[in-house]
Short mmCIF file of all heavy atoms in Angstrom, two decimals:
data_model
loop_
_atom_site.label_atom_id
_atom_site.label_comp_id
_atom_site.label_asym_id
_atom_site.label_seq_id
_atom_site.Cartn_x
_atom_site.Cartn_y
_atom_site.Cartn_z
N GLU A 1 0.85 -1.18 0.00
CA GLU A 1 0.00 0.00 0.00
C GLU A 1 0.89 1.24 0.00
O GLU A 1 1.81 1.34 0.80
CB GLU A 1 -0.88 0.04 1.26
CG GLU A 1 -1.82 -1.12 1.39
CD GLU A 1 -2.55 -1.12 2.71
OE1 GLU A 1 -2.27 -0.26 3.59
OE2 GLU A 1 -3.41 -1.99 2.89
N GLU A 2 0.59 2.16 -0.89
CA GLU A 2 1.31 3.43 -0.91
C GLU A 2 0.50 4.47 -0.16
O GLU A 2 -0.68 4.68 -0.45
CB GLU A 2 1.55 3.92 -2.33
CG GLU A 2 2.24 5.27 -2.36
CD GLU A 2 2.35 5.86 -3.76
OE1 GLU A 2 1.82 5.27 -4.71
OE2 GLU A 2 2.97 6.92 -3.88
N HIS A 3 1.13 5.14 0.77
CA HIS A 3 0.54 6.27 1.50
C HIS A 3 1.39 7.48 1.17
O HIS A 3 2.61 7.43 1.33
CB HIS A 3 0.54 6.00 3.01
CG HIS A 3 -0.30 4.82 3.40
ND1 HIS A 3 -1.58 4.95 3.86
CD2 HIS A 3 -0.05 3.49 3.36
CE1 HIS A 3 -2.08 3.77 4.11
NE2 HIS A 3 -1.17 2.85 3.81
N SER A 4 0.77 8.56 0.73
CA SER A 4 1.53 9.74 0.33
C SER A 4 0.69 10.99 0.53
O SER A 4 -0.52 10.98 0.28
CB SER A 4 1.93 9.63 -1.15
OG SER A 4 2.48 10.82 -1.61
N SER A 5 1.35 12.05 0.93
CA SER A 5 0.66 13.33 1.05
C SER A 5 0.39 13.96 -0.32
O SER A 5 -0.34 14.92 -0.43
CB SER A 5 1.49 14.30 1.90
OG SER A 5 2.74 14.53 1.28
N GLN A 6 0.98 13.40 -1.37
CA GLN A 6 0.82 13.90 -2.72
C GLN A 6 -0.26 13.16 -3.52
O GLN A 6 -0.39 13.34 -4.72
CB GLN A 6 2.15 13.80 -3.47
CG GLN A 6 3.30 14.50 -2.80
CD GLN A 6 3.04 16.00 -2.66
OE1 GLN A 6 2.59 16.64 -3.59
NE2 GLN A 6 3.31 16.55 -1.49
N MET A 7 -1.03 12.30 -2.86
CA MET A 7 -1.99 11.45 -3.57
C MET A 7 -3.00 12.23 -4.40
O MET A 7 -3.35 11.81 -5.49
CB MET A 7 -2.74 10.55 -2.59
CG MET A 7 -1.91 9.38 -2.14
SD MET A 7 -2.80 8.28 -1.02
CE MET A 7 -4.37 8.10 -1.75
N GLU A 8 -3.45 13.37 -3.93
CA GLU A 8 -4.50 14.09 -4.65
C GLU A 8 -4.01 14.60 -6.01
O GLU A 8 -4.80 14.95 -6.87
CB GLU A 8 -5.06 15.26 -3.82
CG GLU A 8 -4.05 16.35 -3.52
CD GLU A 8 -3.20 16.10 -2.28
OE1 GLU A 8 -3.34 15.04 -1.66
OE2 GLU A 8 -2.40 16.98 -1.94
N HIS A 9 -2.69 14.62 -6.24
CA HIS A 9 -2.12 15.10 -7.50
C HIS A 9 -1.82 13.96 -8.48
O HIS A 9 -1.38 14.22 -9.59
CB HIS A 9 -0.85 15.89 -7.25
CG HIS A 9 -1.05 17.04 -6.30
ND1 HIS A 9 -1.89 18.11 -6.59
CD2 HIS A 9 -0.56 17.27 -5.07
CE1 HIS A 9 -1.88 18.95 -5.57
NE2 HIS A 9 -1.09 18.47 -4.64
N ASP A 10 -2.05 12.73 -8.08
CA ASP A 10 -1.73 11.57 -8.90
C ASP A 10 -2.88 11.29 -9.85
O ASP A 10 -3.96 10.88 -9.44
CB ASP A 10 -1.45 10.36 -8.01
CG ASP A 10 -0.90 9.18 -8.77
OD1 ASP A 10 -1.14 9.09 -10.01
OD2 ASP A 10 -0.23 8.34 -8.15
N ARG A 11 -2.70 11.49 -11.15
CA ARG A 11 -3.76 11.32 -12.13
C ARG A 11 -4.13 9.87 -12.37
O ARG A 11 -5.12 9.58 -13.03
CB ARG A 11 -3.40 12.02 -13.43
CG ARG A 11 -2.17 11.49 -14.10
CD ARG A 11 -1.77 12.40 -15.28
NE ARG A 11 -0.46 12.03 -15.76
CZ ARG A 11 -0.25 11.30 -16.84
NH1 ARG A 11 -1.26 10.89 -17.56
NH2 ARG A 11 0.97 11.01 -17.22
N PHE A 12 -3.35 8.91 -11.87
CA PHE A 12 -3.64 7.50 -12.08
C PHE A 12 -4.48 6.89 -10.96
O PHE A 12 -4.85 5.74 -11.02
CB PHE A 12 -2.35 6.70 -12.24
CG PHE A 12 -1.57 7.09 -13.46
CD1 PHE A 12 -0.41 7.84 -13.36
CD2 PHE A 12 -2.03 6.74 -14.72
CE1 PHE A 12 0.28 8.21 -14.48
CE2 PHE A 12 -1.34 7.13 -15.85
CZ PHE A 12 -0.17 7.85 -15.74
N LEU A 13 -4.79 7.68 -9.94
CA LEU A 13 -5.58 7.16 -8.83
C LEU A 13 -7.04 6.99 -9.23
O LEU A 13 -7.61 7.83 -9.92
CB LEU A 13 -5.50 8.09 -7.63
CG LEU A 13 -4.16 8.23 -6.95
CD1 LEU A 13 -4.27 9.19 -5.78
CD2 LEU A 13 -3.63 6.90 -6.51
N SER A 14 -7.63 5.92 -8.76
CA SER A 14 -9.07 5.74 -8.95
C SER A 14 -9.79 6.50 -7.84
O SER A 14 -9.19 6.89 -6.84
CB SER A 14 -9.42 4.25 -8.88
OG SER A 14 -9.24 3.76 -7.57
N ASP A 15 -11.09 6.65 -8.01
CA ASP A 15 -11.88 7.29 -6.94
C ASP A 15 -11.78 6.47 -5.67
O ASP A 15 -11.71 7.01 -4.57
CB ASP A 15 -13.34 7.42 -7.37
CG ASP A 15 -13.52 8.47 -8.46
OD1 ASP A 15 -12.66 9.37 -8.56
OD2 ASP A 15 -14.51 8.40 -9.19
N ARG A 16 -11.76 5.14 -5.80
CA ARG A 16 -11.63 4.26 -4.63
C ARG A 16 -10.34 4.55 -3.86
O ARG A 16 -10.33 4.65 -2.65
CB ARG A 16 -11.66 2.80 -5.07
CG ARG A 16 -11.50 1.84 -3.90
CD ARG A 16 -10.65 0.62 -4.33
NE ARG A 16 -10.33 -0.18 -3.20
CZ ARG A 16 -9.20 -0.08 -2.51
NH1 ARG A 16 -8.28 0.80 -2.82
NH2 ARG A 16 -8.96 -0.85 -1.48
N ASP A 17 -9.23 4.70 -4.60
CA ASP A 17 -7.93 4.98 -3.97
C ASP A 17 -8.00 6.26 -3.15
O ASP A 17 -7.48 6.35 -2.04
CB ASP A 17 -6.82 5.12 -5.01
CG ASP A 17 -6.60 3.86 -5.84
OD1 ASP A 17 -7.03 2.77 -5.41
OD2 ASP A 17 -5.98 3.97 -6.91
N LYS A 18 -8.64 7.27 -3.71
CA LYS A 18 -8.72 8.57 -3.03
C LYS A 18 -9.58 8.47 -1.76
O LYS A 18 -9.28 9.11 -0.76
CB LYS A 18 -9.29 9.62 -3.97
CG LYS A 18 -8.35 9.94 -5.11
CD LYS A 18 -8.97 10.89 -6.11
CE LYS A 18 -8.05 11.13 -7.29
NZ LYS A 18 -8.68 11.92 -8.34
N VAL A 19 -10.62 7.65 -1.80
CA VAL A 19 -11.52 7.52 -0.65
C VAL A 19 -10.85 6.74 0.49
O VAL A 19 -10.91 7.15 1.64
CB VAL A 19 -12.85 6.86 -1.05
CG1 VAL A 19 -13.67 6.49 0.16
CG2 VAL A 19 -13.63 7.77 -1.96
N VAL A 20 -10.20 5.61 0.16
CA VAL A 20 -9.62 4.79 1.23
C VAL A 20 -8.31 5.35 1.76
O VAL A 20 -7.88 4.99 2.84
CB VAL A 20 -9.41 3.31 0.79
CG1 VAL A 20 -10.72 2.66 0.44
CG2 VAL A 20 -8.44 3.19 -0.35
N GLY A 21 -7.68 6.26 1.03
CA GLY A 21 -6.51 6.94 1.54
C GLY A 21 -5.18 6.26 1.27
O GLY A 21 -4.15 6.68 1.77
N TYR A 22 -5.19 5.22 0.47
CA TYR A 22 -3.93 4.59 0.07
C TYR A 22 -4.10 4.01 -1.32
O TYR A 22 -5.21 3.85 -1.81
CB TYR A 22 -3.48 3.53 1.05
CG TYR A 22 -4.38 2.31 1.11
CD1 TYR A 22 -4.20 1.23 0.24
CD2 TYR A 22 -5.42 2.23 2.02
CE1 TYR A 22 -5.03 0.14 0.28
CE2 TYR A 22 -6.26 1.13 2.07
CZ TYR A 22 -6.05 0.08 1.19
OH TYR A 22 -6.87 -1.01 1.22
N VAL A 23 -2.98 3.69 -1.94
CA VAL A 23 -2.99 3.14 -3.29
C VAL A 23 -2.56 1.67 -3.22
O VAL A 23 -1.45 1.38 -2.76
CB VAL A 23 -2.03 3.91 -4.21
CG1 VAL A 23 -2.07 3.35 -5.61
CG2 VAL A 23 -2.37 5.39 -4.21
N PRO A 24 -3.41 0.74 -3.65
CA PRO A 24 -3.03 -0.66 -3.66
C PRO A 24 -2.04 -0.90 -4.81
O PRO A 24 -2.33 -0.59 -5.97
CB PRO A 24 -4.35 -1.40 -3.89
CG PRO A 24 -5.22 -0.42 -4.61
CD PRO A 24 -4.79 0.94 -4.12
N GLN A 25 -0.88 -1.40 -4.47
CA GLN A 25 0.15 -1.63 -5.47
C GLN A 25 0.73 -3.03 -5.31
O GLN A 25 0.48 -3.70 -4.30
CB GLN A 25 1.25 -0.58 -5.35
CG GLN A 25 0.74 0.81 -5.62
CD GLN A 25 1.83 1.83 -5.78
OE1 GLN A 25 2.99 1.59 -5.48
NE2 GLN A 25 1.46 2.99 -6.26
N VAL A 26 1.50 -3.45 -6.30
CA VAL A 26 2.24 -4.69 -6.21
C VAL A 26 3.70 -4.39 -6.49
O VAL A 26 4.04 -3.48 -7.26
CB VAL A 26 1.73 -5.77 -7.20
CG1 VAL A 26 0.35 -6.26 -6.79
CG2 VAL A 26 1.74 -5.29 -8.62
N ARG A 27 4.53 -5.15 -5.80
CA ARG A 27 5.97 -5.04 -6.00
C ARG A 27 6.45 -6.37 -6.58
O ARG A 27 6.13 -7.44 -6.05
CB ARG A 27 6.68 -4.76 -4.69
CG ARG A 27 8.19 -4.80 -4.79
CD ARG A 27 8.82 -4.43 -3.48
NE ARG A 27 10.21 -4.80 -3.48
CZ ARG A 27 11.07 -4.51 -2.51
NH1 ARG A 27 10.63 -3.84 -1.46
NH2 ARG A 27 12.31 -4.88 -2.58
N MET A 28 7.19 -6.30 -7.67
CA MET A 28 7.77 -7.46 -8.30
C MET A 28 9.25 -7.46 -8.01
O MET A 28 9.92 -6.41 -8.12
CB MET A 28 7.52 -7.42 -9.81
CG MET A 28 7.99 -8.65 -10.58
SD MET A 28 9.76 -8.92 -10.83
CE MET A 28 10.32 -7.43 -11.62
N ASP A 29 9.78 -8.61 -7.61
CA ASP A 29 11.21 -8.78 -7.40
C ASP A 29 11.69 -9.97 -8.20
O ASP A 29 11.01 -11.00 -8.26
CB ASP A 29 11.52 -9.02 -5.92
CG ASP A 29 11.25 -7.80 -5.06
OD1 ASP A 29 11.93 -6.78 -5.27
OD2 ASP A 29 10.38 -7.88 -4.18
N ALA A 30 12.88 -9.82 -8.82
CA ALA A 30 13.49 -10.91 -9.56
C ALA A 30 15.01 -10.77 -9.48
O ALA A 30 15.53 -9.65 -9.47
CB ALA A 30 13.04 -10.90 -11.01
N ILE A 31 15.69 -11.91 -9.41
CA ILE A 31 17.14 -11.94 -9.45
C ILE A 31 17.54 -12.31 -10.87
O ILE A 31 17.13 -13.36 -11.39
CB ILE A 31 17.71 -12.97 -8.45
CG1 ILE A 31 17.19 -12.72 -7.04
CG2 ILE A 31 19.24 -12.99 -8.50
CD1 ILE A 31 17.59 -11.40 -6.43
N LEU A 32 18.35 -11.46 -11.49
CA LEU A 32 18.67 -11.62 -12.92
C LEU A 32 20.12 -11.26 -13.20
O LEU A 32 20.77 -10.61 -12.39
CB LEU A 32 17.77 -10.70 -13.76
CG LEU A 32 16.28 -10.79 -13.56
CD1 LEU A 32 15.59 -9.57 -14.16
CD2 LEU A 32 15.77 -12.06 -14.18
N ASP A 33 20.59 -11.64 -14.39
CA ASP A 33 21.87 -11.14 -14.87
C ASP A 33 21.73 -9.68 -15.23
O ASP A 33 20.64 -9.23 -15.61
CB ASP A 33 22.32 -11.91 -16.12
CG ASP A 33 22.65 -13.36 -15.83
OD1 ASP A 33 23.19 -13.65 -14.74
OD2 ASP A 33 22.35 -14.22 -16.70
#
């Protein structure tokens, strides 16, 4: 979950994200050359 004081300026946020106060995100990790 991303919590930020700058959320209201993020054009990719859904209305749901703005109401609940955080952005649901995923983090991908991989070990590579």
Side-chain angles (χ1 to χ4, degrees):
E1 299 174 355
E2 177 187 5
H3 296 262
S4 171
S5 61
Q6 303 299 316
M7 283 181 45
E8 65 273 3
H9 304 297
D10 189 336
R11 61 189 169 101
F12 295 107
L13 294 180
S14 69
D15 289 337
R16 179 217 171 266
D17 299 342
K18 293 174 183 174
V19 169
V20 298
Y22 67 87
V23 181
Q25 297 191 348
V26 291
R27 174 177 165 173
M28 184 287 304
D29 292 297
I31 305 297
L32 307 164
D33 292 324

